[in-house]
Amino acid sequence: MGIVLAILALSFLIIIHELGHFMVAKAFKVRVNEFSLFMGPKLFSFQKGETLYSLRLIPLGGYVKMEGEEEASEDDRAYNKKPIGVRAAIIAAGPLMNILTALVFAFIIISQTGYFTTQIKDIVPGSAAEKYDLRVGDKLQKYNGKTLFNVNDLGIFSYPLTNESITLQYERNGVSKTVELTPERENFILGFTPLQDELEGPDSNVVKAVSDNSPAIKAGLKVNDRIVEINGADIRTRKDIRDILQQNQDKNVNILVERAGELQKLKPVVPLKSKNPEYYAIGILDFVHEKGSIGSTIKEAAKYNIFISRSIYYSLGWLFTGTVPASELMGPVGITTTISNEVAESQSLKETVIRLLSITTMISINLGLVNLIPFPALDGSKLVLLLIEGIRKKPLNPEKEALITMVGMVILIMLMLYATFNDILRIGKG
């Protein structure tokens, strides 16, 4: 079921993208010869009016084939006969449709789930935030001079950082203040999800899920286990677990759990060193959650899309600088698997829809923004070529333009194959 929904979601986003090109082309009376979903050999097609609608074998994108797009045509309705502004609108319409779709989906999600503001709800005792007098009610504004539109921006801005200090700007009672502090980013974990998220909740030491290849799974920790003792110290909450692991660091820990009413000792394991979420590293335990009006929901949906957009462009930059290894590239198999896993983990129909919409939103805006990059074969490069044509006052040779597109397509296919190879390796590792 998850795989089917994943394929349908990706197909929908491709259709939306191509539909953008198609509708604007039709609106400006451009002759469209074919509207294709996917690439490669034709599986199915039908003719309606002047346009052939087809489904092809290889699930990599799709295309709208317009008269006069790949080679000059004397047809009055040909793409090459239209003004530069019209052609630019047709090319830009595909990515913009994906971005608009992401905005609509984000609105639906936030209208149902609400959203986290940047206002602090709770501070971690003894943390850097408490030390530097951050208080409940303060609203975070900037991180190292960069505006925080969404609390998730903290993760993007801090990703390449290790032990560096940061400058945090916040608002208190209408007055902006600035503080420089060093977040406590290093953390030691067992690798399980608690039944209760609250740090000091009564069931926060009960296991809801165990992460693959984690110390928890190696120790033999199971779902519904209640952790009652670590290294002889009583455990009542997740805070107790955190404090003991931080003191213990990379030494063996002995875990005692209550399982089906009986005490059971697990195998000794070494906790895993990990990086705290930046908000927690700063010392913020929680942010204020709200569910607002239509206006505020639209505003938050836009902020959410800004967060995703930032993460996309930052990630691309990190790939070039080596901050993120190329092995992290994800292809169609990885995307499909991710969507499928998200659906499989859902506990209800509503949660399934929310999770599916959430990841589809990220993929949609990714598809839109990446297509605007001025790389051969992408819509962004076509817009650049139109700009060059406008400056030169004459069009580029269609054959040369087709050659540039072909070279770009070959490179993109190679990247896709490499990403798919990465996907297969990840699946193989479990």
Side-chain angles (χ1 to χ4, degrees):
M1 180 62 177
I3 295 293
V4 173
L5 287 174
I7 292 172
L8 288 175
L10 290 174
S11 299
F12 171 77
L13 294 180
I14 292 168
I15 291 172
I16 285 293
H17 181 93
E18 298 304 329
L19 196 59
H21 296 312
F22 179 80
M23 290 192 304
V24 177
K26 286 289 190 181
F28 284 107
K29 310 298 182 186
V30 174
R31 180 184 177 91
V32 179
N33 295 326
E34 184 178 357
F35 183 107
S36 175
L37 177 62
F38 303 151
M39 312 288 279
K42 192 185 301 178
L43 295 176
F44 170 78
S45 67
F46 66 91
Q47 187 83 28
K48 186 175 181 182
E50 65 186 23
T51 305
L52 177 72
Y53 297 86
S54 62
L55 175 67
R56 295 179 180 269
L57 178 63
I58 304 172
L60 297 175
Y63 61 86
V64 171
K65 187 176 182 181
M66 295 174 283
E67 180 73 22
E69 183 181 14
E70 295 180 355
E71 56 184 24
S73 172
E74 294 304 316
D75 190 316
D76 290 339
R77 295 177 57 211
Y79 171 82
N80 62 291
K81 291 286 187 180
K82 297 296 180 179
I84 289 176
V86 170
R87 283 180 278 158
I90 293 170
I91 297 302
L96 292 178
M97 276 290 281
N98 284 124
I99 294 169
L100 180 60
T101 299
L103 183 62
V104 172
F105 283 1
F107 174 82
I108 294 171
I109 294 166
I110 293 171
S111 67
Q112 295 300 308
T113 65
Y115 56 91
F116 283 99
T117 69
T118 61
Q119 185 174 13
I120 299 173
K121 182 180 179 181
D122 202 0
I123 298 286
V124 178
S127 65
E130 186 176 72
K131 178 181 177 182
Y132 287 93
D133 196 35
L134 281 171
R135 302 176 190 173
V136 171
D138 290 347
K139 295 179 181 178
L140 303 190
Q141 295 177 315
K142 293 185 179 182
Y143 178 102
N144 280 346
K146 300 168 187 172
T147 301
L148 294 167
F149 290 104
N150 185 293
V151 292
N152 293 308
D153 285 330
L154 289 168
I156 298 301
F157 297 152
S158 66
Y159 182 85
L161 305 181
T162 52
N163 299 316
E164 295 91 332
S165 62
I166 56 107
T167 300
L168 201 62
Q169 181 178 315
Y170 60 96
E171 178 189 316
R172 179 182 299 165
N173 299 325
V175 179
S176 289
K177 298 175 177 287
T178 302
V179 63
E180 184 174 336
L181 54 83
T182 303
E184 298 170 5
R185 296 192 177 95
E186 191 176 87
N187 188 26
F188 290 87
I189 62 171
L190 292 175
F192 73 93
T193 303
L195 185 62
Q196 191 174 8
D197 286 338
E198 287 80 358
L199 193 65
E200 298 188 83
D203 289 328
S204 61
N205 62 332
V206 177
V207 178
K208 180 180 179 182
V210 182
S211 303
D212 293 338
N213 301 317
S214 65
I217 205 165
K218 292 174 184 175
L221 198 65
K222 295 183 179 180
V223 173
N224 294 325
D225 282 354
R226 181 182 292 274
I227 301 172
V228 295
E229 191 177 287
I230 295 180
N231 285 353
D234 288 340
I235 300 295
R236 289 186 171 82
T237 66
R238 189 158 58 96
K239 181 180 182 299
D240 296 333
I241 298 173
R242 183 202 68 176
D243 292 345
I244 290 174
L245 294 183
Q246 286 298 97
Q247 292 169 12
N248 184 82
Q249 298 199 349
D250 57 357
K251 301 181 185 68
N252 266 338
V253 291
N254 294 291
I255 305 167
L256 185 69
V257 301
E258 181 185 313
R259 180 180 296 168
E262 296 183 359
L263 295 179
Q264 187 163 335
K265 189 175 181 180
L266 306 184
K267 296 176 184 177
V269 288
V270 176
L272 178 68
K273 183 187 289 187
S274 73
K275 188 175 181 180
N276 276 323
E278 188 69 0
Y279 66 88
Y280 191 80
I282 291 169
I284 300 169
L285 191 57
D286 201 3
F287 290 92
V288 173
H289 186 270
E290 294 181 353
K291 202 170 182 180
S293 63
I294 291 177
S296 63
T297 302
I298 292 172
K299 184 178 178 180
E300 290 303 319
K303 287 182 178 180
Y304 180 68
N305 280 3
I306 291 173
F307 152 67
I308 298 174
S309 303
R310 278 174 161 176
S311 67
I312 291 167
Y313 284 127
Y314 272 76
S315 298
L316 289 172
W318 293 334
L319 278 171
F320 282 108
T321 61
T323 302
V324 173
S327 59
E328 292 296 314
L329 277 174
M330 186 179 287
V333 174
I335 294 170
T336 303
T337 303
T338 301
I339 297 175
S340 178
N341 290 341
E342 284 291 313
V343 171
E345 292 174 6
S346 302
Q347 302 297 315
S348 64
L349 177 60
K350 181 178 179 180
E351 187 180 353
T352 298
V353 173
I354 294 297
R355 282 174 176 257
L356 186 61
L357 281 178
S358 181
I359 196 164
T360 304
T361 298
M362 289 188 280
I363 296 170
S364 186
I365 198 166
N366 192 308
L367 185 60
L369 292 178
V370 169
N371 256 286
L372 288 173
I373 294 172
F375 185 85
L378 297 179
D379 292 329
S381 72
K382 296 177 182 179
L383 291 172
V384 170
L385 291 175
L386 287 175
L387 178 62
I388 293 171
E389 178 182 332
I391 294 171
R392 295 174 72 238
K393 304 300 182 184
K394 63 177 181 178
L396 292 176
N397 184 298
E399 286 74 20
K400 289 183 179 178
E401 187 173 340
L403 178 62
I404 292 171
T405 300
M406 188 195 314
V407 170
M409 184 63 72
V410 169
I411 295 172
L412 288 175
I413 290 173
M414 290 174 67
L415 282 172
M416 190 70 71
L417 290 172
Y418 175 73
T420 302
F421 177 70
N422 288 340
D423 296 338
I424 294 169
L425 285 180
R426 275 191 289 267
I427 293 171
K429 292 176 182 176

